mmCIF file of all heavy atoms in Angstrom:
data_model
loop_
_atom_site.group_PDB
_atom_site.id
_atom_site.type_symbol
_atom_site.label_atom_id
_atom_site.label_comp_id
_atom_site.label_asym_id
_atom_site.label_seq_id
_atom_site.Cartn_x
_atom_site.Cartn_y
_atom_site.Cartn_z
ATOM 1 N N GLN A 280 -0.483 -5.104 -3.376
ATOM 2 C CA GLN A 280 0.068 -4.958 -4.718
ATOM 3 C C GLN A 280 -0.784 -5.672 -5.757
ATOM 4 O O GLN A 280 -0.945 -5.198 -6.887
ATOM 5 C CB GLN A 280 1.504 -5.485 -4.745
ATOM 6 C CG GLN A 280 2.486 -4.598 -3.989
ATOM 7 C CD GLN A 280 3.891 -5.144 -3.964
ATOM 8 O OE1 GLN A 280 4.089 -6.366 -4.049
ATOM 9 N NE2 GLN A 280 4.865 -4.259 -3.822
ATOM 10 N N ASN A 281 -1.357 -6.809 -5.374
ATOM 11 C CA ASN A 281 -2.235 -7.526 -6.306
ATOM 12 C C ASN A 281 -3.467 -6.699 -6.640
ATOM 13 O O ASN A 281 -3.910 -6.667 -7.803
ATOM 14 C CB ASN A 281 -2.662 -8.873 -5.700
ATOM 15 C CG ASN A 281 -1.510 -9.873 -5.655
ATOM 16 O OD1 ASN A 281 -0.544 -9.745 -6.431
ATOM 17 N ND2 ASN A 281 -1.594 -10.857 -4.778
ATOM 18 N N VAL A 282 -4.027 -6.035 -5.631
ATOM 19 C CA VAL A 282 -5.199 -5.183 -5.883
ATOM 20 C C VAL A 282 -4.839 -4.058 -6.855
ATOM 21 O O VAL A 282 -5.599 -3.747 -7.777
ATOM 22 C CB VAL A 282 -5.738 -4.607 -4.555
ATOM 23 C CG1 VAL A 282 -6.809 -3.555 -4.827
ATOM 24 C CG2 VAL A 282 -6.301 -5.701 -3.682
ATOM 25 N N LEU A 283 -3.665 -3.448 -6.648
ATOM 26 C CA LEU A 283 -3.235 -2.380 -7.543
ATOM 27 C C LEU A 283 -3.023 -2.899 -8.957
ATOM 28 O O LEU A 283 -3.444 -2.273 -9.946
ATOM 29 C CB LEU A 283 -1.940 -1.739 -7.013
ATOM 30 C CG LEU A 283 -2.018 -1.040 -5.655
ATOM 31 C CD1 LEU A 283 -0.636 -0.561 -5.225
ATOM 32 C CD2 LEU A 283 -2.987 0.153 -5.705
ATOM 33 N N ASN A 284 -2.383 -4.059 -9.061
ATOM 34 C CA ASN A 284 -2.112 -4.631 -10.386
ATOM 35 C C ASN A 284 -3.396 -4.978 -11.119
ATOM 36 O O ASN A 284 -3.524 -4.772 -12.333
ATOM 37 C CB ASN A 284 -1.243 -5.874 -10.252
ATOM 38 C CG ASN A 284 0.164 -5.535 -9.786
ATOM 39 O OD1 ASN A 284 0.635 -4.409 -10.000
ATOM 40 N ND2 ASN A 284 0.843 -6.476 -9.143
ATOM 41 N N GLU A 285 -4.376 -5.494 -10.368
ATOM 42 C CA GLU A 285 -5.643 -5.882 -10.988
ATOM 43 C C GLU A 285 -6.357 -4.673 -11.602
ATOM 44 O O GLU A 285 -7.074 -4.812 -12.588
ATOM 45 C CB GLU A 285 -6.560 -6.536 -9.944
ATOM 46 C CG GLU A 285 -6.104 -7.937 -9.539
ATOM 47 C CD GLU A 285 -6.908 -8.464 -8.354
ATOM 48 O OE1 GLU A 285 -7.810 -7.730 -7.892
ATOM 49 O OE2 GLU A 285 -6.638 -9.593 -7.910
ATOM 50 N N GLN A 286 -6.145 -3.498 -11.014
ATOM 51 C CA GLN A 286 -6.793 -2.295 -11.522
ATOM 52 C C GLN A 286 -5.908 -1.523 -12.513
ATOM 53 O O GLN A 286 -6.266 -0.432 -12.941
ATOM 54 C CB GLN A 286 -7.171 -1.378 -10.356
ATOM 55 C CG GLN A 286 -8.174 -1.973 -9.391
ATOM 56 C CD GLN A 286 -9.474 -2.345 -10.064
ATOM 57 O OE1 GLN A 286 -9.975 -1.584 -10.894
ATOM 58 N NE2 GLN A 286 -10.006 -3.512 -9.731
ATOM 59 N N GLY A 287 -4.779 -2.077 -12.862
ATOM 60 C CA GLY A 287 -3.915 -1.455 -13.857
ATOM 61 C C GLY A 287 -3.072 -0.317 -13.338
ATOM 62 O O GLY A 287 -2.583 0.509 -14.114
ATOM 63 N N ILE A 288 -2.904 -0.235 -12.026
ATOM 64 C CA ILE A 288 -2.098 0.842 -11.437
ATOM 65 C C ILE A 288 -0.636 0.419 -11.438
ATOM 66 O O ILE A 288 -0.251 -0.548 -10.763
ATOM 67 C CB ILE A 288 -2.578 1.172 -10.020
ATOM 68 C CG1 ILE A 288 -4.015 1.700 -10.079
ATOM 69 C CG2 ILE A 288 -1.661 2.196 -9.358
ATOM 70 C CD1 ILE A 288 -4.642 1.884 -8.737
ATOM 71 N N THR A 289 0.169 1.120 -12.212
ATOM 72 C CA THR A 289 1.561 0.707 -12.415
ATOM 73 C C THR A 289 2.576 1.795 -12.088
ATOM 74 O O THR A 289 3.757 1.507 -11.926
ATOM 75 C CB THR A 289 1.771 0.271 -13.877
ATOM 76 O OG1 THR A 289 1.435 1.380 -14.740
ATOM 77 C CG2 THR A 289 0.879 -0.921 -14.220
ATOM 78 N N TYR A 290 2.128 3.052 -12.003
ATOM 79 C CA TYR A 290 3.074 4.153 -11.843
ATOM 80 C C TYR A 290 2.938 4.790 -10.460
ATOM 81 O O TYR A 290 1.842 4.951 -9.943
ATOM 82 C CB TYR A 290 2.828 5.218 -12.921
ATOM 83 C CG TYR A 290 3.832 6.342 -12.890
ATOM 84 C CD1 TYR A 290 5.080 6.213 -13.496
ATOM 85 C CD2 TYR A 290 3.541 7.529 -12.221
ATOM 86 C CE1 TYR A 290 6.002 7.240 -13.453
ATOM 87 C CE2 TYR A 290 4.447 8.560 -12.175
ATOM 88 C CZ TYR A 290 5.684 8.417 -12.792
ATOM 89 O OH TYR A 290 6.597 9.427 -12.738
ATOM 90 N N GLY A 291 4.088 5.145 -9.894
ATOM 91 C CA GLY A 291 4.099 5.891 -8.637
ATOM 92 C C GLY A 291 3.725 5.073 -7.413
ATOM 93 O O GLY A 291 3.321 5.645 -6.392
ATOM 94 N N ILE A 292 3.851 3.727 -7.493
ATOM 95 C CA ILE A 292 3.497 2.883 -6.346
ATOM 96 C C ILE A 292 4.521 3.101 -5.226
ATOM 97 O O ILE A 292 5.727 2.993 -5.433
ATOM 98 C CB ILE A 292 3.439 1.403 -6.752
ATOM 99 C CG1 ILE A 292 2.304 1.196 -7.773
ATOM 100 C CG2 ILE A 292 3.218 0.513 -5.528
ATOM 101 C CD1 ILE A 292 2.229 -0.197 -8.326
ATOM 102 N N ASP A 293 4.030 3.388 -4.043
ATOM 103 C CA ASP A 293 4.880 3.670 -2.886
ATOM 104 C C ASP A 293 5.083 2.382 -2.088
ATOM 105 O O ASP A 293 4.362 2.089 -1.137
ATOM 106 C CB ASP A 293 4.238 4.744 -2.012
ATOM 107 C CG ASP A 293 5.213 5.313 -0.992
ATOM 108 O OD1 ASP A 293 6.209 4.638 -0.682
ATOM 109 O OD2 ASP A 293 4.955 6.427 -0.490
ATOM 110 N N THR A 294 6.088 1.594 -2.502
ATOM 111 C CA THR A 294 6.345 0.286 -1.883
ATOM 112 C C THR A 294 6.692 0.433 -0.404
ATOM 113 O O THR A 294 6.255 -0.371 0.434
ATOM 114 C CB THR A 294 7.494 -0.428 -2.619
ATOM 115 O OG1 THR A 294 7.167 -0.519 -4.009
ATOM 116 C CG2 THR A 294 7.702 -1.831 -2.066
ATOM 117 N N GLU A 295 7.465 1.443 -0.071
ATOM 118 C CA GLU A 295 7.866 1.641 1.316
ATOM 119 C C GLU A 295 6.658 1.937 2.210
ATOM 120 O O GLU A 295 6.540 1.405 3.317
ATOM 121 C CB GLU A 295 8.867 2.786 1.402
ATOM 122 C CG GLU A 295 9.387 3.038 2.805
ATOM 123 C CD GLU A 295 10.432 4.135 2.829
ATOM 124 O OE1 GLU A 295 10.880 4.540 1.736
ATOM 125 O OE2 GLU A 295 10.795 4.581 3.934
ATOM 126 N N ALA A 296 5.741 2.791 1.710
ATOM 127 C CA ALA A 296 4.542 3.108 2.481
ATOM 128 C C ALA A 296 3.665 1.876 2.662
ATOM 129 O O ALA A 296 3.076 1.680 3.738
ATOM 130 C CB ALA A 296 3.760 4.221 1.789
ATOM 131 N N ILE A 297 3.553 1.050 1.625
ATOM 132 C CA ILE A 297 2.734 -0.167 1.716
ATOM 133 C C ILE A 297 3.330 -1.121 2.750
ATOM 134 O O ILE A 297 2.619 -1.697 3.590
ATOM 135 C CB ILE A 297 2.638 -0.838 0.329
ATOM 136 C CG1 ILE A 297 1.890 0.066 -0.654
ATOM 137 C CG2 ILE A 297 1.938 -2.192 0.434
ATOM 138 C CD1 ILE A 297 1.900 -0.417 -2.076
ATOM 139 N N GLN A 298 4.639 -1.288 2.708
ATOM 140 C CA GLN A 298 5.305 -2.189 3.647
ATOM 141 C C GLN A 298 5.151 -1.687 5.079
ATOM 142 O O GLN A 298 4.857 -2.470 5.999
ATOM 143 C CB GLN A 298 6.795 -2.299 3.278
ATOM 144 C CG GLN A 298 7.553 -3.345 4.110
ATOM 145 C CD GLN A 298 8.961 -3.566 3.570
ATOM 146 O OE1 GLN A 298 9.337 -2.996 2.560
ATOM 147 N NE2 GLN A 298 9.722 -4.405 4.250
ATOM 148 N N ASN A 299 5.318 -0.413 5.278
ATOM 149 C CA ASN A 299 5.153 0.168 6.612
ATOM 150 C C ASN A 299 3.713 0.002 7.107
ATOM 151 O O ASN A 299 3.463 -0.288 8.277
ATOM 152 C CB ASN A 299 5.518 1.656 6.564
ATOM 153 C CG ASN A 299 5.458 2.318 7.932
ATOM 154 O OD1 ASN A 299 6.194 1.943 8.841
ATOM 155 N ND2 ASN A 299 4.569 3.285 8.068
ATOM 156 N N PHE A 300 2.758 0.163 6.207
ATOM 157 C CA PHE A 300 1.343 0.017 6.523
ATOM 158 C C PHE A 300 1.037 -1.390 7.012
ATOM 159 O O PHE A 300 0.313 -1.581 7.998
ATOM 160 C CB PHE A 300 0.533 0.345 5.262
ATOM 161 C CG PHE A 300 -0.950 0.260 5.414
ATOM 162 C CD1 PHE A 300 -1.672 1.274 6.018
ATOM 163 C CD2 PHE A 300 -1.654 -0.843 4.929
ATOM 164 C CE1 PHE A 300 -3.048 1.205 6.149
ATOM 165 C CE2 PHE A 300 -3.025 -0.923 5.053
ATOM 166 C CZ PHE A 300 -3.722 0.093 5.657
ATOM 167 N N CYS A 301 1.593 -2.389 6.325
ATOM 168 C CA CYS A 301 1.329 -3.787 6.686
ATOM 169 C C CYS A 301 2.084 -4.212 7.949
ATOM 170 O O CYS A 301 1.523 -4.868 8.835
ATOM 171 C CB CYS A 301 1.698 -4.701 5.518
ATOM 172 S SG CYS A 301 0.674 -4.455 4.051
ATOM 173 N N GLU A 302 3.367 -3.839 8.031
ATOM 174 C CA GLU A 302 4.176 -4.263 9.173
ATOM 175 C C GLU A 302 3.678 -3.638 10.483
ATOM 176 O O GLU A 302 3.647 -4.313 11.528
ATOM 177 C CB GLU A 302 5.638 -3.889 8.930
ATOM 178 C CG GLU A 302 6.313 -4.733 7.854
ATOM 179 C CD GLU A 302 7.758 -4.310 7.624
ATOM 180 O OE1 GLU A 302 8.188 -3.308 8.246
ATOM 181 O OE2 GLU A 302 8.458 -4.982 6.844
ATOM 182 N N LYS A 303 3.284 -2.381 10.420
ATOM 183 C CA LYS A 303 2.850 -1.700 11.644
ATOM 184 C C LYS A 303 1.342 -1.808 11.875
ATOM 185 O O LYS A 303 0.806 -1.215 12.809
ATOM 186 C CB LYS A 303 3.259 -0.226 11.579
ATOM 187 C CG LYS A 303 4.770 -0.028 11.595
ATOM 188 C CD LYS A 303 5.130 1.449 11.654
ATOM 189 C CE LYS A 303 6.644 1.643 11.721
ATOM 190 N NZ LYS A 303 7.017 3.068 11.773
ATOM 191 N N ARG A 304 0.681 -2.571 10.983
ATOM 192 C CA ARG A 304 -0.763 -2.826 11.113
ATOM 193 C C ARG A 304 -1.540 -1.518 11.282
ATOM 194 O O ARG A 304 -2.333 -1.341 12.194
ATOM 195 C CB ARG A 304 -1.030 -3.754 12.307
ATOM 196 C CG ARG A 304 -0.382 -5.125 12.182
ATOM 197 C CD ARG A 304 -0.663 -5.986 13.399
ATOM 198 N NE ARG A 304 -2.088 -6.166 13.616
ATOM 199 C CZ ARG A 304 -2.864 -7.063 12.996
ATOM 200 N NH1 ARG A 304 -2.331 -7.870 12.079
ATOM 201 N NH2 ARG A 304 -4.156 -7.137 13.267
ATOM 202 N N LEU A 305 -1.317 -0.610 10.315
ATOM 203 C CA LEU A 305 -1.989 0.683 10.356
ATOM 204 C C LEU A 305 -3.334 0.617 9.639
ATOM 205 O O LEU A 305 -3.714 1.500 8.863
ATOM 206 C CB LEU A 305 -1.096 1.758 9.712
ATOM 207 C CG LEU A 305 0.303 1.907 10.301
ATOM 208 C CD1 LEU A 305 1.128 2.921 9.506
ATOM 209 C CD2 LEU A 305 0.209 2.335 11.764
ATOM 210 N N PHE A 306 -4.066 -0.452 9.901
ATOM 211 C CA PHE A 306 -5.286 -0.715 9.137
ATOM 212 C C PHE A 306 -6.432 0.226 9.498
ATOM 213 O O PHE A 306 -7.460 0.247 8.807
ATOM 214 C CB PHE A 306 -5.705 -2.173 9.345
ATOM 215 C CG PHE A 306 -4.618 -3.164 9.004
ATOM 216 C CD1 PHE A 306 -4.365 -4.259 9.822
ATOM 217 C CD2 PHE A 306 -3.820 -2.975 7.887
ATOM 218 C CE1 PHE A 306 -3.353 -5.157 9.517
ATOM 219 C CE2 PHE A 306 -2.808 -3.870 7.585
ATOM 220 C CZ PHE A 306 -2.560 -4.974 8.397
ATOM 221 N N TYR A 307 -6.275 0.972 10.580
ATOM 222 C CA TYR A 307 -7.320 1.914 10.963
ATOM 223 C C TYR A 307 -7.240 3.207 10.141
ATOM 224 O O TYR A 307 -8.123 4.045 10.201
ATOM 225 C CB TYR A 307 -7.206 2.271 12.446
ATOM 226 C CG TYR A 307 -5.846 2.807 12.826
ATOM 227 C CD1 TYR A 307 -5.520 4.148 12.661
ATOM 228 C CD2 TYR A 307 -4.859 1.952 13.342
ATOM 229 C CE1 TYR A 307 -4.282 4.632 12.984
ATOM 230 C CE2 TYR A 307 -3.611 2.427 13.672
ATOM 231 C CZ TYR A 307 -3.315 3.776 13.501
ATOM 232 O OH TYR A 307 -2.090 4.256 13.825
ATOM 233 N N SER A 308 -6.180 3.366 9.388
ATOM 234 C CA SER A 308 -5.991 4.588 8.619
ATOM 235 C C SER A 308 -6.026 4.279 7.123
ATOM 236 O O SER A 308 -5.978 3.121 6.709
ATOM 237 C CB SER A 308 -4.652 5.245 8.972
ATOM 238 O OG SER A 308 -3.581 4.382 8.648
ATOM 239 N N GLU A 309 -6.104 5.333 6.319
ATOM 240 C CA GLU A 309 -6.113 5.175 4.870
ATOM 241 C C GLU A 309 -4.686 5.261 4.346
ATOM 242 O O GLU A 309 -3.905 6.125 4.733
ATOM 243 C CB GLU A 309 -6.980 6.272 4.232
ATOM 244 C CG GLU A 309 -7.202 6.077 2.752
ATOM 245 C CD GLU A 309 -8.216 7.078 2.193
ATOM 246 O OE1 GLU A 309 -7.952 8.288 2.282
ATOM 247 O OE2 GLU A 309 -9.271 6.646 1.695
ATOM 248 N N LEU A 310 -4.343 4.369 3.445
ATOM 249 C CA LEU A 310 -2.995 4.290 2.884
ATOM 250 C C LEU A 310 -2.963 4.961 1.509
ATOM 251 O O LEU A 310 -3.817 4.676 0.652
ATOM 252 C CB LEU A 310 -2.568 2.820 2.752
ATOM 253 C CG LEU A 310 -1.333 2.534 1.880
ATOM 254 C CD1 LEU A 310 -0.069 3.105 2.519
ATOM 255 C CD2 LEU A 310 -1.202 1.042 1.617
ATOM 256 N N THR A 311 -2.008 5.865 1.332
ATOM 257 C CA THR A 311 -1.748 6.401 -0.012
ATOM 258 C C THR A 311 -0.763 5.451 -0.674
ATOM 259 O O THR A 311 0.430 5.470 -0.414
ATOM 260 C CB THR A 311 -1.167 7.824 0.069
ATOM 261 O OG1 THR A 311 -2.094 8.667 0.754
ATOM 262 C CG2 THR A 311 -0.917 8.392 -1.313
ATOM 263 N N ALA A 312 -1.302 4.611 -1.563
ATOM 264 C CA ALA A 312 -0.504 3.515 -2.115
ATOM 265 C C ALA A 312 0.241 3.904 -3.377
ATOM 266 O O ALA A 312 1.269 3.316 -3.691
ATOM 267 C CB ALA A 312 -1.413 2.312 -2.399
ATOM 268 N N ALA A 313 -0.262 4.874 -4.101
ATOM 269 C CA ALA A 313 0.394 5.292 -5.345
ATOM 270 C C ALA A 313 0.076 6.754 -5.607
ATOM 271 O O ALA A 313 -1.014 7.229 -5.280
ATOM 272 C CB ALA A 313 -0.069 4.431 -6.516
#
């Protein structure tokens, strides 16, 4: 979220997808964050 905020991304942020990405450690894949 800090990375998104730093770049001025404020609309359409998918909080649930971000949380799932971090909790399930899906770091091998690309995340659609917003």
Side-chain angles (χ1 to χ4, degrees):
Q280 289 178 333
N281 289 337
V282 171
L283 297 175
N284 292 335
E285 288 171 1
Q286 297 301 318
I288 297 172
T289 59
Y290 184 82
I292 296 175
D293 194 338
T294 304
E295 182 177 349
I297 295 172
Q298 186 171 357
N299 184 62
F300 181 79
C301 295
E302 289 179 356
K303 294 185 178 180
R304 298 179 58 82
L305 304 175
F306 305 137
Y307 55 84
S308 62
E309 188 172 61
L310 166 67
T311 301

